Amino acid sequence: MEEQKRVVLVTGGSRGIGRVIASRFLEAGHRVAATHRSGDVPEGVLGVQCDVTEPVAVDAAFTTVEQELGPVEILVANAGMTKDTLLARMSDDDWDRVIDTNLSGTFRLVRRAARAMTRARFGRIILVSSVVALLGSPGQVNYAASKAGLVGMARSITRELGGRGVTANVIAPGFISTDMTAELSDEQIAAYKARIPAGRLGSTDDVAAAVLFVASDAAGYVSGAVIPVDGGLGMGH
């Protein structure tokens, strides 16, 4: 059956994984908006400035999308940040900023999106986490905690809203080739590849493909799942 075209909102859509996700939804014929704090979004995507740490900004972003494209039917909460340092050196501000963006920011997005989704009795909520959420990583106590919290969030949403046609799933990417990994040395890349059963870094298209599947009409019975896109790195976690 032909996929029904939906209104999609991708946060953090100006670069990296978020930009590719927005592009793939657009290519599939959906009406797509993407938030950004700076930079631009893919041509044909409605760009909306938004700081997810500000509740007023989140509400304004959704209002703009609703006025321009219609109620959000698919939310991809991808915006995030890191502030890495060892535990003994991690300040309260290092902790608060990451938690407020990655976890509390996602909560604000989901809370706002759920209004229209429950009324329409259809919704796809996709939270972009990380293999680090369940595997752990030195120097990333704040980041790992924020990304692990998304699992509990998705599963609680599933129990609350599953009867109203709303699904909530977590995508957990591993080491993905982006601008950040491009700055790593050849030795660092080789060390990462040695840990990954697939023997390579993932691509942003690998992640986007998983997102588009759980967002699809065909995935209506998939909810509360953690879907790894990590080449096998996090198996068993």
Side-chain angles (χ1 to χ4, degrees):
M1 295 178 63
E2 185 177 351
E3 183 82 6
Q4 186 167 341
K5 304 312 176 187
R6 306 286 185 181
V7 175
V8 182
L9 175 61
V10 180
T11 64
S14 62
R15 59 191 177 90
I17 292 171
R19 187 180 185 91
V20 173
I21 290 171
S23 294
R24 297 299 171 266
F25 272 114
L26 188 68
E27 290 167 4
H30 298 283
R31 302 187 299 283
V32 185
T35 71
H36 60 97
R37 295 184 62 180
S38 60
D40 60 0
V41 298
E43 185 176 354
V45 172
L46 174 66
V48 184
Q49 282 198 323
C50 180
D51 181 346
V52 297
T53 67
E54 297 290 342
V56 172
V58 170
D59 183 64
F62 272 86
T63 298
T64 298
V65 176
E66 289 162 353
Q67 291 173 345
E68 296 290 331
L69 303 179
V72 173
E73 298 166 287
I74 298 170
L75 170 67
V76 182
N78 166 75
M81 67 170 292
T82 58
K83 194 73 173 173
D84 296 350
T85 190
L86 295 176
L87 177 62
R89 300 174 183 169
M90 187 172 290
S91 68
D92 285 356
D93 184 62
D94 293 335
W95 173 269
D96 290 342
R97 288 179 61 192
V98 171
I99 295 295
D100 195 24
T101 300
N102 298 357
L103 186 58
S104 300
T106 299
F107 160 72
R108 295 179 188 105
L109 294 162
V110 168
R111 179 177 59 184
R112 181 61 171 79
R115 297 180 192 174
M117 290 180 180
T118 52
R119 284 196 297 268
R121 302 189 72 82
F122 177 90
R124 296 284 186 268
I125 295 170
I126 299 120
L127 311 182
V128 179
S129 180
S130 168
V131 65
V132 168
L134 301 179
L135 190 63
S137 177
Q140 291 193 305
V141 168
N142 50 3
Y143 182 74
S146 70
K147 292 299 189 178
L150 299 181
V151 177
M153 186 183 297
R155 290 177 173 171
S156 297
I157 293 164
T158 292
R159 295 196 183 278
E160 280 194 34
L161 305 181
R164 301 186 184 184
V166 178
T167 67
N169 291 290
V170 175
I171 302 294
F175 292 114
I176 306 298
S177 294
T178 62
D179 291 342
M180 285 199 305
T181 55
E183 297 176 2
L184 299 175
S185 68
D186 291 341
E187 291 77 14
Q188 288 173 309
I189 294 293
Y192 286 142
K193 288 180 178 179
R195 296 171 58 193
I196 301 168
R200 67 173 178 88
L201 301 188
S203 71
T204 50
D205 278 319
D206 290 327
V207 180
V211 170
L212 262 70
F213 168 68
V214 293
S216 70
D217 294 344
Y221 206 56
V222 179
S223 197
V226 179
I227 300 173
V229 186
D230 62 8
L233 175 63
M235 286 188 295
H237 296 279

